[in-house]
Amino acid sequence: MEEDHSRREGNGFEIEDDDKEHSVSMLREPFLVRNIKNNIILHRLPLLVPIPALLKALIMSLFPRLAFPAFCSPMAFRIADNELFKQDWRSRKKVEIYQYVVLKWTLALLIGLGTGLVGFFNNLAVENIAGFKLLLTNNLMLENKYYQAFATYAGCNVVLAIAAAALCAYVAPAAAGSGIPEVKAYLNGVDAPSILAPATLFVKIFGSIFGVAAGFVVGKEGPMVHTGACIASLLGQGGSRKYHLTWKWLRYFKNDRDRRDLVTCGSAAGVAAAFRAPVGGVLFALEEDASWWRSALLWRTFFTTAVVAVVLRGLIDFCRSGKCGLFGQGGLIMFDVNSRKAFYSTPDLLAVVFLGVIGGIFGSLYNYCVVKILLVIVISLLTSCCSYGLPWLSKCIPCPPHLAEKCPTEGRSGNFKNFQCPPNHYNDLASLVFNTNDDAIRNLFTSGSEKEFHLSTLMVFFFAIYCLGIVTYGIAVPSGLFIPVILAGASYGRLTGTMLGPLSNLDAGPCALLGAASFLGGTMRMTVSLCVILLELTNDLLMLPLMMLVLLISKTVADCFNKGIYDQMVRMKGFPYMEAHAEPYMRHLVASDVVSGPLVSFSGIEKVGNLLHALKVTGHNGFPVIDEPPCSDAPELCGLVLRSHLLVLLRGKKFTKQRVKMGSGIMKSFKAHDFAKAGSGKGVKLEDLEITEEEMEMYVDLHPITNTSPYTVVDTMSLAKAAVLFRELGLRHLCVVPKTPGRPPIVGILTRHDFTPDHILGLYPHIKPHK
């Protein structure tokens, strides 16, 4: 648990000057953990809806270990340009460079294969578990054992919900929730503990299966993005030493930049596996997840998602033979929506505009209400009561004549659920709520069936899904947001299409699709990627113009009220996320105005005791190295040295009794891979060092491990300009140097924390944030 060069703790919590002697222990026990016992962390409490004290006590007693890491360490997407790295790069042969390039593509292939297999396994497990639960309940209802059917249905849901919550609470708390905010923050340069760990991957897979099968109004799409990122990270760091899964031949990507590229491929593969939308996966990673993008990365990401698509296609063809249990058309969602129209009239366009406005309003309201915390068991029982109880309020409808499919439906899936109705009748509300989410969406998207669902049914279903989606998204299980939003949007879209039937020529099925698109645009604020994902899902290019229009309108309307859901979740979790643009008030400040102190620097040849003392009393991750006479004519900035590199150097004990350069000896004793980025929990820690009193008085040469070309800005540069430079280059440290001569060679170091609104407005409370 380390922190950057500023007086702070965790995610923007400052360490006062008179507490510096306690900074080491404080860093090990962040502010929120010290004040909320049992590691129950309610991130950014002022941003959450107030929670009664009794409810908090219940959460703590039921899940005492439920927590999300309160500390995030930043990453640098620029390789340290020191002498060891230069020597390593110069010594590489053409064969090694070729091997490095081939391995990049090999890892992309492995990520695609792994994510595709996991995605198929998730869907296979969910469809079989949920299908067995629904079939068992239906059989009891056919025997008129309604109370036993409800007990069975609710009992199965509660058991599955407890299993999902227990995995998150006691094995990997970082696996709770969607996972997209965590991946988005990681790709922005924030490395929170355990978010990509093997335990998180395990819980994300099985917790998502149990949560979705439990009937929660959640999807498996967000968890699949997180799963793909975890697989990519695990492969990139060569496995896990903790779990005895190590592959030495994969340890070529020991830097943040390469791992960032792999995680980007993994997140795109997750979307492709969830929606069978390879192009949509690439665009999702580009539009929503990644903060940095390169043309070379585009090819590898597209290759990864193509592999996922091929794997899923092969496995689906295998399951069509009936060898996958209850896995049929459900799961791996793919909806065929036939608009049957290539031209649209003015009333049609007005209906689309109306859907876009409604989607923007409902989407922004959804984002406003979604930050709630409630108990898993209560939500499970509430969901069970709604999905089992609401169909009793609906009237039985006679089966339409001349249907291609059987009515009422036999088995667990279909458009015409019998529920409690007599023969040759069906319950339209049961066909939506007493079903898997994928089948419910498929029913709503069905074309040419305007009278299949009553208006009251669609209205009840919309409000039920809308409210359940809000309260469910905050519980401690792996949960995605796509499916609940698509369900709610499709229900009011179909409702609108049915009501406007006499005025518009749009079919109810395409209206449901447009409603889903409008709600997605209103909550997530994405346009291009959502448009392509929905087109790949529905296989209907004729809907492209209307879908583009409804997404643009819903996003524009929703942006008038608040930010997208993932941006809000990133902020709620306390990640120091850097936006692509600088805040307006930064134009009134210069770089030197926000530099935190005191500055701790080292000489090019430093005493071991001074290094050890600085590492103990500070949590800084970067230290400026200043050459002084006789090493130079005048004090000058030599470069920047990282904390992790200092720990490795001190452990090697290449010390001298005199202040002399030992660069050649260090270059022979160490290799570049000794200073490469370690995997989770594998790095050298301060407690691992065993330095004697005699060694404390000796010296060590820092020149070989010093980055001699750090990025610098003059102290008079606009803070807004420095912030854009910091983000666009993917930096971890930005040195501020004096513009005028005759001053010390460095004014300070800017880190991610120094650009956060909390820090700046804390220093200058008179500044208005929006000006």
Side-chain angles (χ1 to χ4, degrees):
M1 298 291 187
E2 302 171 356
E3 113 163 24
D4 274 343
H5 199 292
S6 53
R7 53 192 184 108
R8 68 190 182 283
E9 174 194 339
N11 303 343
F13 299 106
E14 294 189 350
I15 302 174
E16 301 296 335
D17 290 336
D18 56 353
D19 288 336
K20 280 192 172 64
E21 62 269 24
H22 306 297
S23 61
V24 175
S25 61
M26 290 173 70
L27 287 172
R28 293 197 189 111
E29 189 178 3
F31 176 81
L32 286 179
V33 178
R34 288 189 280 114
N35 285 273
I36 304 177
K37 295 303 179 184
N38 297 327
N39 285 356
I40 302 294
I41 299 177
L42 308 179
H43 294 287
R44 301 288 185 181
L45 293 177
L47 298 178
L48 291 176
V49 178
I51 303 171
L54 177 60
L55 186 56
K56 288 196 292 185
L58 285 172
I59 297 175
M60 294 178 186
S61 63
L62 285 175
F63 303 106
R65 291 183 56 192
L66 177 59
F68 193 89
F71 184 85
C72 304
S73 61
M75 300 180 294
F77 294 144
R78 298 285 166 175
I79 298 175
D81 193 13
N82 54 42
E83 288 300 323
L84 275 170
F85 172 78
K86 292 177 183 177
Q87 183 189 44
D88 176 70
W89 187 255
R90 287 192 296 263
S91 63
R92 288 190 181 184
K93 301 177 182 178
K94 288 186 178 181
V95 175
E96 293 177 311
I97 297 175
Y98 177 75
Q99 183 181 14
Y100 172 76
V101 174
V102 170
L103 192 55
K104 278 187 176 182
W105 289 94
T106 304
L107 281 179
L109 173 66
L110 293 175
I111 292 169
L113 288 173
T115 308
L117 290 173
V118 170
F120 177 77
F121 171 73
N122 275 12
N123 282 273
L124 183 67
V126 167
E127 292 297 315
N128 278 279
I129 294 174
F132 173 79
K133 176 187 67 179
L134 293 174
L135 282 177
L136 183 61
T137 307
N138 280 330
N139 291 336
L140 290 173
M141 294 185 68
L142 290 174
E143 299 173 5
N144 296 325
K145 299 178 180 179
Y146 297 117
Y147 292 107
Q148 294 181 17
F150 173 72
T152 301
Y153 182 72
C156 290
N157 286 345
V158 169
V159 170
L160 291 170
I162 291 176
L167 283 174
C168 287
Y170 295 100
V171 180
S178 167
I180 293 179
E182 287 80 359
V183 175
K184 184 174 180 177
Y186 180 89
L187 294 177
N188 188 258
V190 181
D191 190 5
S194 301
I195 62 171
L196 299 177
T200 304
L201 172 62
F202 173 81
V203 174
K204 207 70 180 183
I205 295 173
F206 290 96
S208 176
I209 291 173
F210 295 147
V212 175
F216 284 127
V217 185
V218 297
K220 46 191 177 290
E221 292 67 35
M224 273 307 305
V225 174
H226 198 175
T227 297
C230 289
I231 292 173
S233 177
L234 185 65
L235 291 173
Q237 70 183 25
S240 172
R241 186 181 303 170
K242 178 180 178 181
Y243 298 99
H244 306 289
L245 299 172
T246 55
W247 311 288
K248 293 183 178 180
W249 60 280
L250 282 178
R251 296 181 183 178
Y252 280 82
F253 303 97
K254 291 293 188 177
N255 59 78
D256 288 318
R257 186 181 63 185
D258 285 332
R259 290 189 186 176
R260 173 201 66 188
D261 291 349
L262 291 174
V263 170
T264 302
C265 293
S267 67
V271 176
F275 291 108
R276 290 168 61 188
V279 179
V282 175
L283 293 175
F284 179 87
L286 171 61
E287 184 177 3
E288 180 63 22
D289 276 352
S291 296
W292 296 275
W293 197 264
R294 297 179 294 116
S295 58
L297 180 60
L298 176 65
W299 287 104
R300 286 204 304 276
T301 307
F302 185 73
F303 173 71
T304 305
T305 57
V307 172
V308 173
V310 172
V311 170
L312 292 180
R313 173 64 66 182
L315 292 173
I316 290 173
D317 290 340
F318 172 77
C319 284
R320 285 175 179 170
S321 61
K323 298 179 180 179
C324 299
L326 298 175
F327 183 88
Q329 290 184 346
L332 289 174
I333 50 180
M334 189 77 177
F335 315 113
D336 288 320
V337 178
N338 184 10
S339 64
R340 297 182 294 184
K341 286 187 61 179
F343 303 98
Y344 307 100
S345 61
T346 300
D348 297 340
L349 295 179
L350 292 177
V352 172
V353 171
F354 175 76
L355 284 175
V357 174
I358 292 297
I361 294 174
F362 279 134
S364 59
L365 179 63
Y366 191 92
N367 292 357
Y368 177 78
C369 299
V370 81
V371 281
K372 289 178 180 287
I373 299 178
L374 292 174
L375 290 176
V376 172
I377 298 177
V378 174
I379 299 298
S380 176
L381 289 174
L382 177 62
T383 305
S384 300
C385 291
C386 288
S387 56
Y388 187 85
L390 287 178
W392 293 91
L393 305 177
S394 180
K395 296 180 180 180
C396 294
I397 303 174
C399 291
H402 311 298
L403 280 177
E405 59 179 299
K406 190 173 180 60
C407 178
T409 299
E410 292 183 357
R412 65 163 190 83
S413 62
N415 289 35
F416 305 99
K417 284 279 187 177
N418 180 263
F419 205 67
Q420 89 291 5
C421 295
N424 297 322
H425 289 70
Y426 73 97
N427 189 312
D428 58 345
L429 189 54
S431 301
L432 297 177
V433 298
F434 198 67
N435 217 333
T436 61
N437 293 334
D438 292 355
D439 285 330
I441 296 174
R442 190 173 289 105
N443 295 343
L444 287 169
F445 281 1
T446 303
S447 300
S449 54
E450 289 80 359
K451 298 181 180 180
E452 183 177 322
F453 301 102
H454 286 164
L455 295 179
S456 58
T457 295
L458 295 172
M459 194 172 297
V460 170
F461 180 72
F462 167 69
F463 284 109
I465 292 298
Y466 191 90
C467 297
L468 286 174
I470 289 174
V471 299
T472 303
Y473 191 65
I475 63 176
V477 298
S479 54
L481 193 62
F482 274 91
I483 291 299
V485 170
I486 291 177
L487 276 171
S491 59
Y492 75 69
R494 191 176 185 94
L495 174 64
T496 303
T498 305
M499 293 176 63
L500 298 179
L503 304 176
S504 173
N505 295 323
L506 285 176
D507 192 83
C511 279
L513 173 61
L514 293 173
S518 69
F519 202 10
L520 284 169
T523 54
M524 301 180 184
R525 313 297 162 81
M526 293 180 286
T527 53
V528 180
S529 57
L530 284 180
C531 185
V532 174
I533 287 173
L534 288 173
L535 288 177
E536 289 185 287
L537 272 176
T538 57
N539 194 27
D540 189 0
L541 283 175
L542 293 178
M543 294 295 295
L544 177 60
L546 297 183
M547 199 175 298
M548 293 172 63
L549 179 62
V550 78
L551 282 169
L552 289 172
I553 294 174
S554 62
K555 182 185 185 306
T556 302
V557 172
D559 281 340
C560 297
F561 298 99
N562 50 34
K563 290 188 175 182
I565 182 62
Y566 295 131
D567 292 324
Q568 291 195 36
M569 295 302 294
V570 165
R571 179 174 175 80
M572 191 190 77
K573 291 175 181 290
F575 294 129
Y577 187 86
M578 291 198 69
E579 300 290 347
H581 59 276
E583 297 294 339
Y585 58 81
M586 291 184 178
R587 302 191 191 101
H588 306 296
L589 301 171
V590 295
S592 59
D593 290 336
V594 298
V595 170
S596 302
L599 182 66
V600 179
S601 61
F602 298 134
S603 299
I605 303 173
E606 186 60 79
K607 184 179 289 188
V608 174
N610 293 343
L611 294 173
L612 201 59
H613 176 74
L615 294 175
K616 285 182 178 179
V617 300
T618 70
H620 304 163
N621 275 330
F623 301 88
V625 177
I626 299 175
D627 273 336
E628 299 175 341
C631 294
S632 61
D633 297 333
E636 64 180 15
L637 178 63
C638 176
L640 196 72
V641 65
L642 297 179
R643 181 187 187 93
S644 58
H645 293 182
L646 286 174
L647 291 172
V648 174
L649 184 64
L650 291 175
R651 187 180 63 173
K653 295 189 176 184
K654 297 301 175 182
F655 307 145
T656 60
K657 294 184 178 180
Q658 303 296 326
R659 189 188 289 267
V660 294
K661 286 190 174 184
M662 282 290 294
S664 59
I666 293 177
M667 300 279 281
K668 293 178 181 179
S669 302
F670 293 95
K671 301 296 181 183
H673 62 79
D674 295 328
F675 297 90
K677 180 180 175 66
S680 302
K682 297 178 185 176
V684 181
K685 298 179 176 59
L686 189 62
E687 307 85 62
D688 299 333
L689 301 181
E690 297 179 358
I691 307 295
T692 64
E693 291 295 329
E694 180 182 0
E695 291 170 336
M696 296 278 281
E697 299 300 321
M698 302 175 73
Y699 295 89
V700 62
D701 188 2
L702 303 182
H703 290 96
I705 64 169
T706 299
N707 180 7
T708 55
S709 56
Y711 286 90
T712 61
V713 296
V714 294
D715 54 354
T716 57
M717 175 181 279
S718 166
L719 185 62
K721 195 173 181 179
V724 173
L725 176 70
F726 190 94
R727 185 190 187 277
E728 292 300 322
L729 293 178
L731 302 180
R732 186 176 187 176
H733 305 95
L734 184 59
C735 298
V736 181
V737 297
K739 184 177 181 180
T740 57
R743 297 170 57 188
I746 184 169
V747 176
I749 295 179
L750 289 174
T751 64
R752 178 177 294 265
H753 164 75
D754 297 313
F755 295 104
T756 57
D758 291 343
H759 173 69
I760 298 174
L761 298 178
L763 293 175
Y764 303 98
H766 63 279
I767 293 180
K768 295 182 179 180
H770 302 294
K771 291 187 176 180

